[in-house]
Amino acid sequence: LLACGSQDSKVRVYDLGVGAAPRLQYTLEDAAGSVSSLAFSADSKLLASGSLDKTLRVYALEGGVAPTLKHTLKIPAEIEDVAFSADSELLACASLDSKVRVYGLEGQATPMLKYTLDDATDWVFSAAFSPDSKLLASGSNDERIRVYGLGDGVAPDGDPMLGPFDLKTVADLAAGLTAGLLLPLLGQATRRRRNAASAAAVGVRPGVAGTR
């Protein structure tokens, strides 16, 4: 499957098939604002969408039927990025209130807010987990990449611990950490947004996500 979020507030899900042209299979019309980010869980059971309507939506995927809206979570700010951990147990949401919210999915009837990471001093545009689900990276317009350690015992109170990583270290984390690759573009994108009449109406990065 391939999912595409767009400025018309819709999510389109395409069936890639085998050896055939992509075919539009479902159109999801729940959002009330531009859809800025999409992510499939690694087990292909969930699809998350983040929108400028300040809502995080999680859809359940089942073969042969349309995705079902399973969870609707209101966020106090426009959402720029969503990401699942590789073990499909965590869902991160980066937003324009300078925060990254991390939800627990395992064994929960509803996603539970586990952590609110508020170290950034400006908009957070990007979030990504490492392939082993032990690290979470975020990219912000404050010109900082932050890397958090996840899991039991990472800090005395159990909260994610901000690690002493530099830009080179983040880049070396390879495919699982895309936040570092996006950082050079954040300043340019922000300047364009601030020069526009409405930050909520411009500068939308359409979201695209695919499953294997």
Side-chain angles (χ1 to χ4, degrees):
L1 296 177
L2 173 68
C4 172
S6 54
Q7 294 185 17
D8 63 1
S9 307
K10 296 178 183 178
V11 176
R12 294 172 175 84
V13 182
Y14 294 84
D15 180 7
L16 300 180
V18 178
R23 177 176 62 87
L24 179 62
Q25 194 166 17
Y26 310 113
T27 300
L28 311 178
E29 304 182 24
D30 302 287
S34 299
V35 178
S36 54
S37 182
L38 292 166
F40 284 101
S41 60
D43 59 12
S44 300
K45 293 181 179 180
L46 299 173
L47 170 64
S49 75
S51 171
L52 296 190
D53 66 4
K54 304 180 182 180
T55 305
L56 172 63
R57 295 175 175 85
V58 181
Y59 296 85
L61 303 175
E62 297 181 15
V65 298
T68 303
L69 182 58
K70 190 174 182 180
H71 306 297
T72 300
L73 305 172
K74 297 301 293 184
I75 306 296
E78 292 85 351
I79 298 171
E80 281 294 303
D81 200 14
V82 295
F84 285 100
S85 60
D87 57 14
S88 302
E89 294 182 1
L90 297 174
L91 173 61
C93 169
S95 51
L96 296 187
D97 61 356
S98 308
K99 294 179 173 63
V100 177
R101 294 171 175 85
V102 182
Y103 295 86
L105 303 175
E106 186 181 22
Q108 304 293 331
T110 313
M112 178 183 68
L113 180 61
K114 295 188 67 173
Y115 314 117
T116 299
L117 310 178
D118 55 4
D119 302 284
T121 59
D122 208 336
W123 301 343
V124 181
F125 285 95
S126 181
F129 289 93
S130 61
D132 60 8
S133 302
K134 293 182 179 181
L135 299 174
L136 170 65
S138 71
S140 170
N141 188 57
D142 64 9
E143 300 182 352
R144 294 291 185 274
I145 294 174
R146 294 173 174 87
V147 180
Y148 297 88
L150 303 173
D152 295 337
V154 297
D157 57 3
D159 288 339
M161 182 172 58
L162 187 62
F165 299 96
D166 58 20
L167 180 59
K168 182 177 185 299
T169 303
V170 174
D172 288 345
L173 290 175
L177 297 177
T178 59
L181 302 179
L182 295 177
L183 190 61
L185 303 178
L186 298 185
Q188 299 176 22
T190 302
R191 283 191 290 274
R192 288 197 296 270
R193 287 168 182 263
R194 287 176 173 169
N195 290 334
S198 172
V202 301
V204 179
R205 294 185 290 105
V208 178
T211 61
R212 295 179 181 177

